[in-house]
Amino acid sequence: MATERTLDKMKELIVIVISTPVKAGAIHRLKIDPSFESRLAEAVVTFKYVEEAFERGRDLAKGSLDSHTLGLGALFGRAVRDAFDFTGRKPLVGLVYASLSLAVVAGYADVTGRGVLEEAGRIVRTVLYGNEPEDTVALIEGLEAVGASDYLLKLEKSNITKRSVRLNMLSIGDLAEKLQEVDEGFSYNIRGITRIRDLYSGLHSIRNLAEAVIKTYYRLGAVRGLFTKNIPEDKIFGYMVRVEKEGKLREEGNRLLGGVCLAVGFRHLETGLALP
């Protein structure tokens, strides 16, 4: 039952991250356009890959898989292709990557019985920096398949190509460090995990998922310069509404959602955040 409930929490988390209003510049349930429905459809497709990532994390903890055979890059490639095929829209690749990464860690912790955030720090090198180069290539090919041009351009500017990955034995973690500059969903890496911990530590007084999502979204956006810093806690929702009405942000916020998923997800999986 513990395993089943952990997966239920994972799916609940993804839906709430997508739907919570009002996340200025990102998808949410009060936007009057078809994108909200398609993002929920994308989530439904992603769920089966979350389940697979979770099982791979369990197998890693039990020793029946190792870092070379975990296959996170290939799993990501399959997930984004499948989502694109189902919805006809370029998927939120950062949110997909974050969901799969979180699921691997959650599966690992499900076996060891230790805290999810504790295990995230313990196995980050194993999961993200111990894979075969071809699995890193598979992640790049997933980005190519769905037309994630901004992400690919960032890699090219960092001299990361499929050829350089093979020549230099680059890992998924090496790519994630660069891609985090474009999308916070890739922040589960050696450098980015500090930011996840900082956001996680700000959630101890919060008791429901929707509040956790909107406040983490604001805090992460403020760090990246999208929002005014130091808005009082009780003014954040109203501030988000005003920014949304100004219409200055167009989709930049979607690139925060994966980071929100990671920070809120570690908190939710460890202690639970009830629905409001």
Side-chain angles (χ1 to χ4, degrees):
M1 179 60 74
T3 294
E4 180 181 336
R5 282 291 173 245
T6 300
L7 284 169
D8 287 343
K9 284 186 175 183
M10 285 286 307
K11 295 171 185 178
E12 174 192 28
L13 169 72
I14 295 167
V15 171
I16 299 299
V17 166
I18 291 171
S19 62
T20 296
V22 169
K23 305 183 298 292
I27 188 63
H28 58 77
R29 70 173 182 260
L30 299 184
K31 279 187 177 289
I32 311 301
D33 61 45
S35 60
F36 176 63
E37 182 178 337
S38 67
R39 294 310 182 192
L40 288 180
E42 179 182 319
V44 170
V45 172
T46 303
F47 288 162
K48 60 189 174 186
Y49 298 97
V50 166
E51 291 175 0
E52 187 170 345
F54 182 84
E55 289 303 321
R56 292 188 188 192
R58 285 178 52 81
D59 289 342
L60 183 68
K62 291 185 287 187
S64 52
L65 277 181
D66 59 27
S67 60
H68 299 294
T69 55
L70 182 66
L72 180 61
L75 187 61
F76 168 83
R78 286 168 49 211
V80 294
R81 285 182 179 90
D82 198 0
F84 182 76
D85 180 65
F86 187 56
T87 68
R89 297 174 64 98
K90 181 165 62 178
L92 300 177
V93 295
L95 182 56
V96 174
Y97 176 86
S99 301
L100 299 180
S101 301
L102 180 61
V104 169
V105 178
Y108 193 94
D110 189 63
V111 172
T112 66
R114 290 189 286 262
V116 185
L117 186 60
E118 177 187 353
E119 292 294 32
R122 188 189 304 273
I123 67 172
V124 62
R125 289 189 181 276
T126 302
V127 171
L128 295 185
Y129 296 85
N131 63 282
E132 295 288 350
E134 286 306 312
D135 198 42
T136 308
V137 169
L139 189 148
I140 295 176
E141 290 177 341
L143 294 174
E144 290 175 339
V146 299
S149 55
D150 290 354
Y151 299 77
L152 294 166
L153 181 60
K154 177 61 183 179
L155 294 179
E156 289 174 9
K157 287 183 176 180
S158 303
N159 297 314
I160 296 177
T161 63
K162 288 186 283 187
R163 183 173 184 272
S164 71
V165 165
R166 292 181 172 115
L167 285 174
N168 299 313
M169 305 287 287
L170 297 180
S171 68
I172 290 174
D174 295 319
L175 268 65
E177 290 178 17
K178 300 300 181 182
L179 291 172
Q180 184 184 353
E181 298 175 25
V182 179
D183 191 316
E184 287 292 335
F186 291 89
S187 59
Y188 182 49
N189 60 69
I190 288 291
R191 295 181 180 178
I193 197 169
T194 299
R195 182 175 292 173
I196 296 171
R197 288 192 179 108
D198 289 343
L199 292 166
Y200 170 96
S201 67
L203 295 172
H204 291 296
S205 63
I206 295 174
R207 292 293 177 264
N208 67 73
L209 274 172
E211 181 185 1
V213 167
I214 189 65
K215 289 186 175 178
T216 304
Y217 180 83
Y218 161 74
R219 290 165 183 162
L220 189 52
V223 168
R224 292 184 70 96
L226 295 179
F227 306 131
T228 301
K229 294 182 179 180
N230 301 319
I231 299 294
E233 288 283 303
D234 61 343
K235 305 293 184 184
I236 289 175
F237 190 85
Y239 170 77
M240 287 282 103
V241 172
R242 292 195 301 274
V243 175
E244 181 84 331
K245 287 181 178 178
E246 291 171 0
K248 294 180 180 179
L249 295 175
R250 288 290 183 268
E251 296 295 312
E252 295 101 321
N254 281 338
R255 299 185 181 192
L256 303 177
L257 297 181
V260 173
C261 181
L262 287 166
V264 177
F266 286 126
R267 172 76 164 82
H268 185 43
L269 293 175
E270 286 197 347
T271 60
L273 287 162
L275 287 169

